[in-house]
Amino acid sequence: MSQSDSLKWLEREISDYLYKRKRQDIVRLLLNAQPEDHQGLPLSLTELGVWNLEVAEYIFNNPIQSIEAIETGILRVQNVVLQELVAKQEGGDEEGIAWEQQDVGKVSTPVVSLSQRHRYSVKENVHARLFGPAGMMNGLAPLSPGQSVARSELVDCLVTLTGTVARTGVVKVLESRKLFECASCGYKFAVVVDDFANDVSLPQQCPSSSSTGGVGSSVCTGGTFRQCPSDNTFTNYQEIYVQEVHSSDEVYTSHGYQGGDRTSSNSRKAVTVILQDDLADCCQIGDEVHITGIVIRHGSTTPVGAKAVVTLAVKAVSLVVQDEQDTHSALNKDAMYAKFEEFWTSARVQDSIFTARDVIVNSLCPMLSGMFGVKLSVLLMLLGGVSQHDITDQESQFDGTDAGSVKRKASRADIHVLLVGDPGTGKSQIQKFVTHVCPKAVITSGSSASSAGLTAAAVKENGQWTLEAGALVLANGGVCCIDEIDGLKQSESSALHEVMEQQTCSLAKAGMVSTLQTKVSVFGTCNPKGNRRIDPRKTLEEQLALSSPLLSRFDIILLLLDDMNPAADAVIVDHILNMRGHAGDVVLDTKSREGKELHDSLGDMWDIEMLRNYIQWCKMKFHPLLSQDAKRVLISYYQARRSFGSDHVTVRFFESLIRLSQAHAKLMARHEVGIHDAVVAICLADASIGITDGGVLQIPSNLRMGEMGYYMNTESAEVKVDTLKSIVLETLDVQSD
């Protein structure tokens, strides 16, 4: 079958598919009131493959020609559906007009009455927006970790990529079609402009012979044409730069991490993506996007005698801006989610829900021994609280109101964590682990980061100023890990104030005034001033090179001390030897081993992939609301903390308590924040006060979550949580229902 016959076959098959499966979408196109606007019709390649595998394979192998045939089929089906709608309005019974009989050329709107014409019209500027599954590369071998889709062997191939928009160019006007007129017969025809060469290929002979040729007509053999500039077709054009996100092949072994680094800025390849027509200006920097497109040569033609090197880019066929819910719904994890349900069902039957929680907590960064409070805090940070949007949606389901009509002050759900510790206490190890668990994480160093590197930089390209995303904007919707956060200068740390509280980044650079979304959790680590050891007798402000306004924005501030404790040292040394396969060199107390068995009684440690899926499941399914008992406990502790003399807390602290309790309820797979969730949040917040004073609640050292004694406590998790609950309720004088 010749290529022209194949394209006609594809056109018929696509027309049949559109008429039978996408008729409602076609009707919506006909009803659009802007006939001259460029519009897109989403078409799933997966759904096409299920409907007709041969059609999908042909599109994969011939994407450029196939898209033109599909768009011609869209025009034909529009014409058929329009005639059916008009026939119905005029009282006729004409149904199922054969689309095979329609003209495959330029489709004109049939003659209808004036009252019908303003409602329905054929849209000629409709584009096929094909979108495929992640990792699609025209049937070629999968990419190696860190390898870009912009490769020479993928030129003219259909690919998909997922990444973060790092820079957006200015929307320009591109000449997409040029109109020419034959100098001999006056026949006018349009020619598509080549994107790469920015030129057109004119026919050797007047094309009127193929469109006329009726009885008595003469064939024009002219080969001279003149351009008609006034009738050229223009379209929107924009270039964006996308940092690809690759799956991590790095795994933790007994010898540490092995494999590539998925979050290093050097390994995240930036790809130029070309957006045209309705896709232009549909995203902004920091957005997570899923793009299906064709790899093309990009740039000017190579001069004679110069080295033939060109730039590759991806010409987008479709672009979808993914929010968090889109990412979760796209994951086909039904089997894994069923295991999580079974896990918690078994834990509730055995009345060991907190032991089950500890299995999850201890699976975070398993190379570090103990540090239960730190691991729990980091896990709560990854889960986050409940945003006002989620609460509004839940309330609208109960009272029947429209969630979009309820306007409330936005409140952040992201949790910020700061670890302050002695050198060598594992702070950087935890940050590195977070970048592998969180689907979207960026890690940077405060000692080398600038204000523009954290927020956004103004970049001049081709005479136009554009914004290039920094670390906080690139981490929008995820976690930004800042190591040595105390190394930030005053002007640079002040850039974090708006980002951490309002979740936006306001910029005014090079004549550009913009506000970018930065819904990000900040995970900072630092040492005391001068890299000294922490002095328990001094306050945090005295020992840290961080301002009070910045410290007040962190929900949890935990201190990591390198204590001279022989029992703790024995536990840590034995854990290191176990991880390296040399167990038995150090003899531990039997009670410590029994405590380890209690933590693992419901199952083995979870791997990174299972942790990542569990966090996504909790964030997607659970949006817990505060119970009355939880409200009373949190209010009482906030009032007690306000009257505590060693530090000054603000209303931000109370909001932090709410977020922490909601995150713990998510961790426990609950739809309501109970009194135990509030108690855990209070204990974590109380551990942020100091070391020797015991905090507001005067919790014993073997129950303080921020210390090694909690991990070495051999009592079951249920007993420890119940004991903490009793201490909190008794100290705050709160009665539970």
Side-chain angles (χ1 to χ4, degrees):
M1 185 185 298
S2 64
Q3 185 177 15
S4 60
D5 294 336
S6 299
L7 292 177
K8 290 180 180 179
W9 163 80
L10 176 64
E11 189 179 309
R12 289 193 302 270
E13 295 295 327
I14 287 294
S15 299
D16 187 35
Y17 169 77
L18 294 173
Y19 185 81
K20 294 178 179 179
R21 301 289 184 90
K22 298 291 181 180
R23 194 176 189 279
Q24 294 300 323
D25 295 333
I26 298 297
V27 172
R28 280 192 289 268
L29 287 175
L30 295 173
L31 286 173
N32 192 295
Q34 303 295 333
E36 301 299 328
D37 289 352
H38 290 272
Q39 304 171 62
L41 180 64
L43 297 175
S44 170
L45 289 170
T46 303
E47 186 178 335
L48 272 173
V50 173
W51 178 75
N52 191 324
L53 183 59
E54 190 176 357
V55 169
E57 290 179 347
Y58 186 87
I59 294 174
F60 285 144
N61 297 326
N62 305 275
I64 299 177
Q65 299 85 352
S66 298
I67 290 176
E68 296 178 359
I70 293 172
E71 293 179 354
T72 303
I74 294 174
L75 285 174
R76 297 176 64 189
V77 176
Q78 283 189 85
N79 191 39
V80 171
V81 175
L82 177 61
Q83 292 185 38
E84 292 181 355
L85 294 174
V86 171
K88 281 186 177 182
Q89 288 188 351
E90 293 179 349
D93 298 328
E94 300 181 18
E95 288 284 353
I97 301 176
W99 44 259
E100 291 90 345
Q101 301 175 2
Q102 301 300 315
D103 182 15
V104 298
K106 181 179 179 181
V107 181
S108 59
T109 305
V111 179
V112 295
S113 63
L114 292 177
S115 61
Q116 297 161 348
R117 185 183 298 274
H118 81 279
R119 292 192 59 191
Y120 303 109
S121 61
V122 173
K123 309 302 187 299
E124 296 185 10
N125 296 324
V126 178
H127 307 280
R129 298 305 176 199
L130 303 171
F131 58 93
M136 184 187 69
M137 290 169 296
N138 204 33
L140 298 179
L143 293 174
S144 301
Q147 198 171 22
S148 172
V149 299
R151 296 184 292 162
S152 59
E153 60 266 32
L154 291 176
V155 172
D156 295 336
C157 290
L158 198 64
V159 298
T160 60
L161 66 98
T162 300
T164 306
V165 180
R167 190 196 308 174
T168 59
V170 179
V171 179
K172 303 176 183 178
V173 176
L174 176 69
E175 193 175 30
S176 59
R177 293 175 184 269
K178 293 185 178 182
L179 193 67
F180 288 87
E181 182 181 7
C182 177
S184 301
C185 65
Y187 177 76
K188 293 183 179 181
F189 59 96
V191 180
V192 178
V193 180
D194 185 3
D195 291 335
F196 172 70
N198 194 26
D199 199 0
V200 295
S201 299
L202 294 176
Q204 296 181 353
Q205 185 178 337
C206 177
S208 62
S209 58
S210 60
S211 58
T212 58
V215 179
S217 62
S218 59
V219 177
C220 178
T221 59
T224 304
F225 313 103
R226 53 176 175 264
Q227 187 176 351
C228 306
S230 59
D231 295 326
N232 292 348
T233 303
F234 297 88
T235 185
N236 296 324
Y237 177 90
Q238 184 185 28
E239 293 183 12
I240 65 174
Y241 297 87
V242 177
Q243 283 194 354
E244 296 182 76
V245 177
H246 301 290
S247 300
S248 174
D249 67 329
E250 184 175 42
V251 296
Y252 185 80
T253 66
S254 60
H255 302 287
Y257 283 111
Q258 294 182 353
D261 188 352
R262 70 183 290 272
T263 55
S264 173
S265 59
N266 292 329
S267 66
R268 298 183 66 174
K269 307 300 182 181
V271 179
T272 302
V273 179
I274 298 174
L275 306 179
Q276 291 185 6
D277 305 321
D278 57 303
L279 296 181
D281 202 23
C282 67
C283 59
Q284 63 177 359
I285 60 175
D287 286 343
E288 189 83 6
V289 293
H290 181 77
I291 298 172
T292 301
I294 302 173
V295 180
I296 63 171
R297 297 172 298 166
H298 180 56
S300 59
T301 56
T302 305
V304 178
K307 193 173 182 179
V309 177
V310 296
T311 304
L312 297 180
V314 175
K315 184 177 180 181
V317 177
S318 67
L319 184 148
V320 179
V321 178
Q322 295 182 317
D323 59 16
E324 195 173 1
Q325 298 299 328
D326 292 336
T327 305
H328 294 163
S329 61
L331 297 173
N332 186 13
K333 306 291 185 181
D334 294 341
M336 184 72 72
Y337 293 165
K339 290 183 179 179
F340 298 149
E341 296 277 6
E342 182 181 353
F343 175 81
W344 282 110
T345 301
S346 175
R348 292 185 177 96
V349 169
Q350 300 178 33
D351 197 18
S352 303
I353 57 174
F354 293 105
T355 301
R357 178 205 63 180
D358 290 359
V359 171
I360 304 173
V361 174
N362 291 322
S363 299
L364 192 79
C365 203
M367 70 288 299
L368 296 179
S369 175
M371 303 180 69
F372 179 83
V374 175
K375 294 181 180 182
L376 178 59
S377 301
V378 171
L379 198 55
L380 298 185
M381 177 194 68
L382 293 173
L383 289 168
V386 180
S387 64
Q388 191 65 55
H389 173 73
D390 295 329
I391 295 176
T392 304
D393 287 345
Q394 289 190 54
E395 292 178 350
S396 64
Q397 293 177 2
F398 292 106
D399 56 22
T401 59
D402 183 10
S405 63
V406 181
K407 294 184 179 179
R408 299 185 179 180
K409 179 182 178 295
S411 61
R412 68 176 171 96
D414 297 292
I415 295 174
H416 308 308
V417 176
L418 176 64
L419 299 184
V420 183
D422 295 329
T425 51
K427 301 183 297 296
S428 300
Q429 280 275 58
I430 297 176
Q431 279 191 332
K432 187 176 178 63
F433 193 89
V434 167
T435 60
H436 290 80
V437 175
C438 182
K440 190 176 184 182
V442 176
I443 187 168
T444 184
S445 175
S447 59
S448 60
S450 63
S451 177
L454 289 175
T455 55
V459 180
K460 193 172 186 179
E461 184 178 6
N462 298 327
Q464 299 286 342
W465 286 98
T466 60
L467 292 176
E468 186 168 0
L472 291 168
V473 180
L474 288 174
N476 181 34
V479 178
C480 182
C481 301
I482 306 178
D483 195 12
E484 299 178 359
I485 193 173
D486 56 328
L488 294 173
K489 299 179 182 178
Q490 181 63 33
S491 59
E492 297 162 353
S493 62
S494 60
L496 293 173
H497 293 174
E498 180 188 1
V499 171
M500 295 178 66
E501 191 63 32
Q502 278 74 39
Q503 306 257 271
T504 58
C505 178
S506 300
L507 301 170
K509 297 184 178 183
M512 298 176 293
V513 180
S514 178
T515 301
L516 306 176
Q517 293 293 326
T518 53
K519 295 181 179 180
V520 57
S521 295
V522 176
F523 182 22
T525 60
C526 66
N527 298 324
K529 289 181 181 179
N531 290 327
R532 298 189 182 95
R533 292 173 57 86
I534 293 177
D535 187 353
R537 296 166 296 181
K538 296 181 180 179
T539 63
L540 284 177
E541 289 80 359
E542 294 174 339
Q543 301 186 74
L544 301 181
L546 296 175
S547 62
S548 295
L550 183 59
L551 287 175
S552 67
R553 284 165 166 79
F554 284 100
D555 299 275
I556 303 178
I557 303 176
L558 291 180
L559 306 179
L560 303 180
L561 295 179
D562 187 11
D563 292 328
M564 305 300 178
N565 187 335
D569 292 343
V571 173
I572 294 173
V573 169
D574 185 69
H575 181 80
I576 293 174
L577 293 174
N578 284 331
M579 297 299 292
R580 293 182 175 271
H582 301 287
D585 293 56
V586 177
V587 179
L588 289 180
D589 192 346
T590 307
K591 293 182 179 180
S592 299
R593 295 188 183 275
E594 291 174 354
K596 185 69 169 59
E597 292 173 0
L598 283 173
H599 284 85
D600 296 340
S601 61
L602 282 180
D604 298 329
M605 293 292 180
W606 292 7
D607 56 20
I608 291 179
E609 185 65 24
M610 196 168 183
L611 273 176
R612 187 184 298 123
N613 291 331
Y614 182 76
I615 292 172
Q616 292 176 347
W617 176 67
C618 290
K619 295 175 73 173
M620 175 183 64
K621 185 172 182 179
F622 301 101
H623 307 286
L625 300 176
L626 289 173
S627 64
Q628 293 300 321
D629 284 343
K631 289 180 181 179
R632 284 195 293 267
V633 174
L634 294 179
I635 292 174
S636 298
Y637 178 73
Y638 173 68
Q639 293 173 342
R641 184 69 180 267
R642 288 276 289 179
S643 61
F644 194 69
S646 65
D647 61 345
H648 176 67
V649 298
T650 64
V651 70
R652 289 176 181 163
F653 177 76
F654 184 67
E655 294 177 341
S656 298
L657 292 176
I658 296 175
R659 284 189 288 269
L660 292 173
S661 58
Q662 289 172 338
H664 190 268
K666 285 185 180 181
L667 176 62
M668 302 295 292
R670 289 199 279 244
H671 293 284
E672 185 180 55
V673 178
I675 193 169
H676 287 96
D677 302 312
V679 167
V680 172
I682 288 172
C683 292
L684 287 175
D686 205 62
S688 300
I689 296 179
I691 300 300
T692 59
D693 56 11
V696 174
L697 304 175
Q698 296 296 312
I699 299 176
S701 60
N702 65 335
L703 290 175
R704 289 180 64 83
M705 292 185 177
E707 299 184 18
M708 189 67 179
Y710 184 92
Y711 177 77
M712 298 179 63
N713 190 337
T714 58
E715 294 179 326
S716 67
E718 281 69 31
V719 172
K720 288 189 282 188
V721 173
D722 286 338
T723 305
L724 288 172
K725 175 185 173 182
S726 300
I727 294 175
V728 170
L729 295 181
E730 181 179 353
T731 305
L732 300 178
D733 193 18
V734 177
Q735 299 295 327
S736 62
D737 294 337

